[in-house]
Amino acid sequence: MFETLVLLPHPRHLTWLEGTFTFTDGRLVALDPRQAQAVRFAGLRFCAAARRYLGLEWDVTASSAVPAGQVGLTLAIMPEAVAYPEGYRLRVAPEGITVYGGDAAGVFYGVGTLIQLVQQAAGGVLPCLEITDWPDFPARGLMLDVSRDKVPTLETLFALVDRLASWKVNQVQLYTEHTFAYRQHPEVWKDASPLTGAEILALDAYCRERFIELVPNQNSFGHMKPWLIHERYAHLAETHGEIKTPWGNYTMPGPFSLAPEHPGSLELIRSLYDELLPHFTSHQINVGCDETIDLGQGASKAACEALGAGRVYLDFLLKIYRDVTRRGYTMQFWGDIITHYPDLVPQLPHDVIALEWGYEFDHPFDAHGAQFAAAGVPFYVCPGTATWNSLVGRTDNALGNLLNAAENGLKHGASGYLNTEWGDNGHWQYLPMNYLGYGVGAAYSWCLEANRALDVPAAISRFAFDDASGMMGKIAYDLGNVYQVPHVPRLHNSSILFHLLQGAVGDKEHFTDVTVEDFETTLERIDAILAPLAGIPMHCADADLIKREFANAGRLLRHACRRALQLLGQETDNAAMRADLEEAIAEHKALWLARNRPGGLDDSLKYFDALRKAYT
């Protein structure tokens, strides 16, 4: 029994005991009457799982006047038995099951592990065992980009929160530039289908019940173009001209960042916090302030020349910090700019949280973590799912990046692990393409050593796709590695197949040594991976939608390969290519609207225009 036990995350300590426990109908979940409300939701969650996976009706009770034989599961907060915050002890014995938590969250997480065991209980029988478990990182989060260009429906967010809670994630952020419905600034979000205050209140309550902190997130320095393109805010821009970027010879049109020397910039940010923050119970806020690439190229040029760009950056960051702390909040900020000025890192206040982000497998989490630790600055490590700019992810890079962050976060005492999923260049990846990265990040941040050997395809298949066969997880895993076209150099944070769909490689820059056979082999690989898709026995409610999402992602990948063959001189009918692309785009639009709001869709589809033009 349980020869192939899979758990996500796998617990820290598991000991097998003698005997078995058999689930029968009509049993009770006994709640400690002194803590009944604190653990009630965990009890109800188990009853729902018993109904779904075992077909049994259980109920909760806080009464002590219940015959012991009726109790199948006992839940209690017992810090004297579980010394770690959010830790738990789960024991399965022939006479019943107990879950003790160091706090209410620990009980909730213990029940989550029990539910995963129940999903694998053949014939309703569990082997006896004992699990003791607690997290490595106090904060284990996910940040979802809802600004470029995809804003999920509330139903989609609720379902995602349930999934993350089952994996013991305890923090969620929604990366926001302009997609909160600020009542004082309607022109900024009018076409974006934003999240409203009422929706954030509902989502916050939903998260709290599942022991997730919904942290407000509003970029406040760079990435402000959605504001600065409007006449009302244009005077606050650092520049409206061409921006030199740190990425080679690439330039981009402004505006991009707020002008830090303009007093109106801070006034705008304060007005945003006034509206945004009351909708959250969290007393943290991520103020962003990353990638201020145009700093010193426009309005702040004189100040940067006199003081240095790092000093000008830090001075504005400290102004935001003072406003945030005056409100009683802890400020999180992206740490990418400040690490370029090592002498300024020690000048950061010791009650901020620096977010050390990087998305390649070899990102210097070690060096940057050491920087923050030496300065006494609290920090999170922030890896990513590697799904943006790729359609289906880059599996090997994601696993290396997620592991690197966990290892070096623990090495240097990071207080949190914030996984990220971004929407660069149209946010074309469908939500389920991220499940592998979400799940592995949750596992590594909960207990790295217990999850180093995690069977990723099996765990993701069962607990992301409700597929016990392991096939769906293998498709997600393998499809995320088809970007490795032979002889094509790996691109930073992206896949050549994605860029082919965006019409960005017509100059054959990356085709120096590549051959027709390379892309023909990739086409065959995509076909082989997706061949079993239609028959996979998923039992989740959105199984049919997931199959459509993977099928259309595969269609777009195949189209990218055929476009590469065309660039390599293979004769291809432009009209046929255009027709295939338009059919894939039509399905893409339908799939977008199945989980997301319409705002942003038109902007996202514009990224297909270059390829469309190439076929005319």
Side-chain angles (χ1 to χ4, degrees):
M1 186 180 294
F2 275 19
E3 293 86 354
T4 56
L5 175 66
V6 178
L7 296 169
L8 181 64
H10 198 81
R12 190 175 298 270
H13 301 296
L14 187 156
T15 304
W16 298 105
L17 305 174
E18 294 295 324
T20 60
F21 173 83
T22 302
F23 288 95
T24 56
D25 205 21
R27 304 288 289 273
L28 293 172
V29 179
L31 314 180
D32 187 318
R34 298 165 298 176
Q35 310 152 345
Q37 288 297 331
V39 299
R40 170 182 171 274
F41 184 72
L44 293 174
R45 189 163 170 251
F46 179 81
C47 291
R51 186 178 308 113
R52 177 180 179 187
Y53 299 114
L54 302 173
L56 303 176
E57 290 296 331
W58 284 36
D59 202 359
V60 298
T61 181
S63 172
S64 57
V66 176
Q70 281 189 262
V71 175
L73 171 62
T74 300
L75 307 181
I77 299 171
M78 294 185 64
E80 65 274 18
V82 183
Y84 297 91
E86 300 186 322
Y88 65 91
R89 178 171 294 170
L90 164 61
R91 184 177 179 88
V92 179
E95 65 276 11
I97 303 170
T98 55
V99 175
Y100 298 144
D103 47 29
V107 174
F108 181 82
Y109 296 140
V111 168
T113 299
L114 176 60
I115 290 171
Q116 292 188 358
L117 291 170
V118 166
Q119 288 178 250
Q120 302 168 76
V125 178
L126 281 183
C128 292
L129 55 82
E130 184 169 79
I131 290 173
T132 53
D133 203 11
W134 63 89
D136 281 342
F137 289 91
R140 305 170 304 282
L142 174 71
M143 191 228 69
L144 178 66
D145 188 347
V146 299
S147 290
R148 294 159 326 153
D149 295 288
K150 189 180 288 180
V151 184
T153 64
L154 202 55
E155 180 183 21
T156 298
L157 290 171
F158 284 161
L160 178 58
V161 165
D162 279 327
R163 189 180 308 282
L164 296 173
S166 74
W167 298 339
K168 302 177 175 59
V169 168
N170 68 354
Q171 188 178 120
V172 165
Q173 300 186 19
L174 303 176
Y175 170 76
T176 305
E177 294 174 2
H178 65 300
T179 48
F180 177 78
Y182 289 103
R183 293 187 176 274
Q184 302 302 315
H185 308 279
E187 63 268 49
V188 175
W189 51 259
K190 66 181 179 68
D191 297 321
S193 301
L195 288 154
T196 67
E199 288 174 321
I200 291 295
L201 288 169
L203 182 61
D204 187 88
Y206 199 85
C207 286
R208 276 187 288 120
E209 197 168 37
R210 291 153 180 79
F211 297 92
I212 288 177
E213 180 182 7
L214 183 65
V215 174
N217 180 314
Q218 171 60 61
N219 220 329
S220 308
F221 196 170
H223 289 280
M224 292 294 283
K225 185 170 185 173
W227 295 80
L228 301 173
I229 57 176
H230 296 280
E231 182 179 357
R232 180 179 169 190
Y233 314 100
H235 64 291
L236 302 178
E238 172 69 18
T239 179
H240 288 278
E242 198 75 11
I243 297 170
K244 296 178 182 177
T245 74
W247 308 304
N249 295 323
Y250 176 69
T251 61
M252 55 187 275
F256 188 77
S257 298
L258 288 171
E261 300 291 294
H262 196 300
S265 294
L266 189 60
E267 291 174 11
L268 172 63
I269 296 305
R270 284 172 173 162
S271 76
L272 302 189
Y273 299 166
D274 287 343
E275 278 204 59
L276 180 68
L277 296 182
H279 298 92
F280 297 80
T281 52
S282 172
H283 276 266
Q284 300 189 79
I285 174 175
N286 182 349
V287 302
C289 300
D290 61 315
E291 294 188 322
T292 51
I293 55 176
D294 51 341
L295 183 64
Q297 296 184 38
S300 68
K301 183 177 181 180
C304 289
E305 289 175 348
L307 302 173
R311 181 76 255 172
V312 173
Y313 173 87
L314 181 58
D315 285 348
F316 189 66
L317 185 72
L318 291 175
K319 290 176 182 178
I320 296 173
Y321 162 78
R322 285 190 285 271
D323 181 78
V324 166
T325 54
R326 175 183 60 81
R327 300 168 188 265
Y329 283 73
T330 297
M331 185 181 85
Q332 301 179 4
F333 74 101
W334 299 115
D336 57 309
I337 301 300
I338 202 70
T339 53
H340 287 91
Y341 306 96
D343 56 318
L344 297 180
V345 173
Q347 298 183 40
L348 289 168
H350 289 189
D351 58 348
V352 300
I353 297 175
L355 303 174
E356 168 52 32
W357 63 268
Y359 308 128
E360 292 298 304
F361 72 94
D362 58 354
H363 178 76
F365 284 115
D366 189 3
H368 292 174
Q371 242 183 310
F372 289 120
V377 176
F379 72 101
Y380 290 3
V381 284
C382 306
T385 61
T387 48
W388 59 98
N389 291 337
S390 72
L391 276 179
V392 293
R394 297 177 295 136
T395 300
D396 61 339
N397 181 81
L399 297 181
N401 179 237
L402 294 163
L403 178 64
N404 177 7
E407 287 180 334
N408 288 295
L410 291 173
K411 177 180 178 180
H412 296 293
S415 59
Y417 183 108
L418 182 65
N419 200 358
T420 60
E421 188 240 323
W422 295 97
D424 300 44
N425 296 310
H427 210 153
W428 283 357
Q429 70 271 20
Y430 304 122
L431 181 64
M433 308 304 168
N434 300 292
Y435 290 169
L436 186 146
Y438 291 170
V440 173
Y444 288 170
S445 62
W446 176 262
C447 182
L448 176 58
E449 291 308 316
N451 288 278
R452 279 185 183 275
L454 182 72
D455 185 338
V456 173
I460 297 304
S461 197
R462 183 176 286 277
F463 300 119
F465 298 113
D466 206 355
D467 166 35
S469 74
M471 296 168 64
M472 194 65 222
K474 181 170 173 51
I475 285 179
Y477 188 100
D478 291 344
L479 200 62
N481 275 330
V482 297
Y483 81 100
Q484 299 169 357
V485 180
H487 305 119
V488 172
R490 296 196 184 189
L491 307 181
H492 184 74
N493 278 341
S494 60
S495 158
I496 190 71
L497 300 177
F498 179 87
H499 288 296
L500 282 160
L501 292 170
Q502 300 226 335
V505 290
D507 58 1
K508 303 184 183 180
E509 173 188 354
H510 301 289
F511 288 65
T512 305
D513 300 313
V514 74
T515 66
V516 166
E517 289 75 20
D518 292 326
F519 280 98
E520 288 178 338
T521 299
T522 303
L523 267 172
E524 293 171 1
R525 178 70 176 144
I526 295 166
D527 288 342
I529 291 169
L530 289 172
L533 179 64
I536 289 180
M538 284 186 284
H539 297 288
C540 49
D542 58 346
D544 290 341
L545 177 59
I546 290 171
K547 289 180 181 181
R548 285 177 60 193
E549 288 167 326
F550 272 84
N552 204 55
R555 181 174 189 167
L556 287 166
L557 291 174
R558 292 185 188 99
H559 189 96
C561 291
R562 289 196 291 273
R563 172 60 176 158
L565 293 172
Q566 188 181 52
L567 292 172
L568 289 167
Q570 296 291 93
E571 291 188 16
T572 310
D573 182 350
N574 268 352
M577 290 289 283
R578 175 67 183 259
D580 180 66
L581 180 63
E582 293 298 343
E583 288 178 12
I585 291 172
E587 175 70 346
H588 179 75
K589 290 167 67 174
L591 294 172
W592 177 294
L593 294 171
R595 298 190 193 271
N596 308 286
R597 303 162 196 237
L601 176 56
D602 287 344
D603 286 340
S604 175
L605 294 176
K606 289 176 183 176
Y607 287 94
F608 285 108
D609 286 353
L611 190 53
R612 281 169 157 159
K613 184 178 180 181
Y615 294 145
T616 56

